[in-house]
Amino acid sequence: MTRTARCVAALTSAAALLMAASCADSTTPAANDAGAIDENAPVTITVGNKPKPDKPADVATFAKNVKEFTDAHPNITVKTTETAWDAQTFQAQVAGGSLPTVMSISFTEPLNMIPNKQLPDITDELKTVDLTKVLNPETLKLVQDDQGRIYGVPFEAFSVGLAYNRALFTQAGLDPDKPPTNWDEVRQYAKQITEKTGKAGYAQLTKDNTGGWMLTTMTYSMGGTVQSDDGKKSTFNDAPTKKALQLLKDMRWTDNTMGTNFLYNQEEARQDFAAGKIGMIMQAPDAYDMAVKNFGMKPADFGEGALPQDGGPFGTLTGGSIKMINPKSTPNEIVAALKWIKYYEFDKYTNEQVAVQRAKDSVADKGFVGRPGVTPLSQETYDQYNEWQKPYANVPVEQFKGYVDSTKTLKLRPEPSNKAQEVYALLDPVVQQVLTKKDADIDKLLSDAASKIDARLAR
C-alpha cells in the first residue's frame, strides 16, 4: 500500500510523471565523526527488504545484486535483512532503533518523520553520489523541508485507477475497451456484470488500513478531502465521503452487486480478481503484476481504466515508496547507502546496458516490461529509459488506455499528511460496517470516526 507526503500538491497532472535508527551492530563507526566524507573508507551498511525465503528466485536475484554492488565497491560491506515497512509495526521499529541502514517506506511517513528528526539530512551526500539530477523535482518535494533540504529518495510512485476484468465485461455485454469513467456508470456496469455472470460486479478493499485508504480515494474522486491542509483536523464528515459510502451501501444492499466477501485486503482482493470473481475494483496499474504472475490471470483479461469521477474531474490518490536512511548513520554510511540506492533502483534507468539487462532478466523471470505507471524520475530520464526497454516490452499497453488517457486530466492528490495510516485504520471499520450492517448509520459512523481521528491528529 502502498501511501504520500502532502507537499506533492504541486503535482497538478500525472502526465508530467507518467511513462512515466540503525541496529547498533549493523553500521560501522566512522573515523570522520566531524562530518567529512571519505568515499574510500571501509564501511558496513545493512540493507532491508531482502526477499523472504518463500521466493527463492527473488532471493537469488537479490544476492546477485548485492555481490555485483560490493564487487564494484570493495570498501562497502553489505549485510541484508528482511525488514520491510509495515504500517502496523513501523513506528515501533523507529522508536526502538531497530531499523537497517537503508530500507523502503511509504510516502505517508516522511512528513511526520522529518520534523521529528527521524530522518537524516542527505542533501550534501546526494550531490556527492550525483543522484539528484535524475529525480523529478516535484517528487523530491515529498522528502524536503521548508528550506529545500532533502531527507529521503522517492523511487516508486503510483496513482489509483479502476482495474477491471475484460473477460467479464465481454460476458456481460459490455465493451472491454470502454471502462466506466464516473461512479454512476460503475454502478450500472456492476449490475450488468452480476446479472449476466453471477460474479461480483464491484468489490472494495476494507481491512488492514486499505478500507480507509480506498475510502480516501473515493472521497478525492468526488471532490472531497479527508484532512485539512495543515493536518490538524479531519474533513471527511461531509457530503463527498457520505456520498461515497452511500454508493457502496446501495451497491451492497440494494443492487447486491458486491458479492459475498466484504473483508478484503489488497492481496486477497487481487487473488479473487485474478480468478474472475470480481468485475471491477480500485487498483493502481501494478495490480497487473501480481494478478498475472502470482495468481495466473490471463494478460488479455486485465484492463485498467481511469479512477471514476463524480463530476470534476477532481483527481486520484497518489502514493509510493521512498528509500529512508537510518538517522544514526554516519556521513560515510549515508554515502554508501545512497550508492546502493543508485545502483539498485536507478542504474536501470540511467545506464543503457543495465536497463537492457534488467529488461532481459525480468522477461526471463516471467516478469513484466513496459507496464504503464507513474515515475519519480525526470521526464527526460524516463523517456530515454522507455526507448532502451521498448524491444523487450511484454505488457498489453493498449489495455491500460483508459488509465493512461486519464493522466492528462486527473490531478494527483496526496494522501493525508498527518498520521495517514492511523487515519486509514480508524476508517476501516466505517467501510466494513456499511457493507456488513444493512442499518448502518453513515452519519453516525463518520461523526464517531472524526472524533477519534481528531483526537489523534491533535497529539
Side-chain angles (χ1 to χ4, degrees):
M1 177 187 330
T2 194
R3 306 35 111 230
T4 305
R6 282 357 83 200
C7 44
V8 75
L11 293 175
T12 57
S13 171
L17 297 177
L18 183 88
M19 305 272 274
S22 170
C23 299
D25 60 353
S26 67
T27 54
T28 301
N32 57 342
D33 290 334
I37 296 171
D38 182 354
E39 292 191 64
N40 297 313
V43 61
T44 298
I45 60 172
T46 301
V47 172
N49 303 101
K50 177 183 177 181
K52 294 183 178 180
D54 61 350
K55 297 181 179 179
D58 292 344
V59 172
T61 299
F62 190 77
K64 175 185 175 184
N65 287 328
V66 170
K67 185 177 186 305
E68 288 179 354
F69 175 76
T70 53
D71 285 348
H73 302 88
N75 66 305
I76 301 175
T77 299
V78 173
K79 297 180 180 180
T80 60
T81 172
E82 295 174 11
T83 302
W85 179 83
D86 183 283
Q88 310 301 325
T89 60
F90 179 67
Q91 283 302 321
Q93 291 174 320
V94 173
S98 59
L99 297 176
T101 314
V102 58
M103 66 177 286
S104 305
I105 62 173
S106 166
F107 272 13
T108 57
E109 302 294 351
L111 193 66
N112 293 315
M113 296 180 73
I114 291 172
N116 290 331
K117 301 188 184 303
Q118 293 173 324
L119 293 173
D121 182 339
I122 60 173
T123 310
D124 297 333
E125 288 83 357
L126 274 169
K127 294 175 183 177
T128 298
V129 178
D130 196 27
L131 184 56
T132 313
K133 67 181 181 181
V134 305
L135 298 172
N136 188 299
E138 297 298 336
T139 55
L140 267 180
K141 292 178 181 178
L142 302 172
V143 290
Q144 288 179 303
D145 62 16
D146 293 340
Q147 285 71 49
R149 304 296 291 182
I150 301 170
Y151 296 83
V153 183
F155 73 97
E156 287 181 341
F158 72 88
S159 66
V160 179
L162 185 76
Y164 64 98
N165 187 306
R166 292 171 60 87
L168 289 181
F169 264 49
T170 299
Q171 292 172 33
L174 297 167
D175 187 341
D177 293 327
K178 294 182 179 179
T181 58
N182 62 63
W183 285 108
D184 287 340
E185 289 179 344
V186 170
R187 186 175 181 183
Q188 294 166 13
Y189 283 34
K191 287 181 184 179
Q192 194 162 330
I193 290 169
T194 298
E195 289 171 359
K196 299 292 186 180
T197 71
K199 308 297 183 181
Y202 178 83
Q204 187 84 357
L205 300 179
T206 58
K207 68 178 188 179
D208 299 340
N209 297 15
T210 65
W213 180 41
M214 287 295 105
L215 180 59
T216 297
T217 303
M218 288 187 76
T219 296
Y220 288 173
S221 75
M222 294 185 172
T225 59
V226 169
Q227 196 175 96
S228 59
D229 290 343
D230 61 10
K232 294 181 179 180
K233 188 173 178 58
S234 65
T235 58
F236 56 77
N237 191 13
D238 61 0
T241 306
K242 290 178 181 180
K243 189 170 186 178
L245 289 170
Q246 186 63 52
L247 173 63
L248 294 176
K249 188 174 184 179
D250 290 343
M251 292 174 71
R252 162 67 175 100
W253 297 105
T254 302
D255 302 344
N256 195 28
T257 58
M258 294 185 68
T260 58
N261 190 345
F262 310 108
L263 293 175
Y264 274 124
N265 64 22
Q266 180 145 267
E267 185 167 339
E268 293 163 348
R270 288 179 174 182
Q271 186 168 7
D272 276 3
F273 177 74
K277 298 178 181 179
I278 296 171
M280 298 175 287
I281 187 168
M282 286 186 290
Q283 289 284 293
D286 66 347
Y288 177 90
D289 302 19
M290 182 179 288
V292 174
K293 184 175 182 179
N294 296 71
F295 300 132
M297 188 176 192
K298 294 179 181 178
D301 291 349
F302 187 96
E304 180 80 10
L307 179 72
Q309 303 289 295
D310 181 61
F314 292 114
T316 182
L317 181 145
T318 184
S321 297
I322 290 164
K323 288 293 183 183
M324 72 157 283
I325 296 175
N326 194 299
K328 294 182 180 179
S329 300
T330 66
N332 283 352
E333 290 163 357
I334 292 174
V335 168
L338 289 173
K339 287 182 177 180
W340 165 259
I341 294 169
K342 184 177 182 181
Y343 160 79
Y344 192 68
E345 301 294 350
F346 291 100
D347 275 3
K348 63 184 176 183
Y349 297 115
T350 60
N351 182 304
E352 181 175 7
Q353 182 178 354
V354 174
V356 170
Q357 188 59 52
R358 292 276 182 100
K360 290 180 178 178
D361 289 347
S362 183
V363 171
D365 192 35
K366 302 187 186 304
F368 306 106
V369 177
R371 172 181 49 74
V374 177
T375 174
L377 298 169
S378 67
Q379 195 62 44
E380 181 181 0
T381 301
Y382 200 50
D383 287 345
Q384 179 62 76
Y385 168 69
N386 283 328
E387 285 299 313
W388 291 336
Q389 69 157 9
K390 193 172 183 178
Y392 309 95
N394 60 357
V395 174
V397 176
E398 66 278 3
Q399 292 169 205
F400 294 73
K401 185 177 186 301
Y403 170 83
V404 173
D405 288 349
S406 75
T407 64
K408 301 176 179 67
T409 58
L410 293 187
K411 295 179 180 179
L412 289 177
R413 303 291 303 277
E415 296 181 76
S417 64
N418 189 11
K419 298 180 172 64
Q421 296 304 327
E422 294 183 42
V423 172
Y424 293 159
L426 289 168
L427 287 174
D428 273 5
V430 175
V431 184
Q432 292 169 10
Q433 290 191 56
V434 166
L435 297 181
T436 58
K437 294 184 178 181
K438 192 172 185 178
D439 61 349
D441 185 333
I442 291 174
D443 287 348
K444 186 175 188 306
L445 288 170
L446 288 179
S447 179
D448 290 348
S451 295
K452 294 176 183 177
I453 288 171
D454 285 343
R456 299 287 184 95
L457 299 180
R459 294 176 184 172

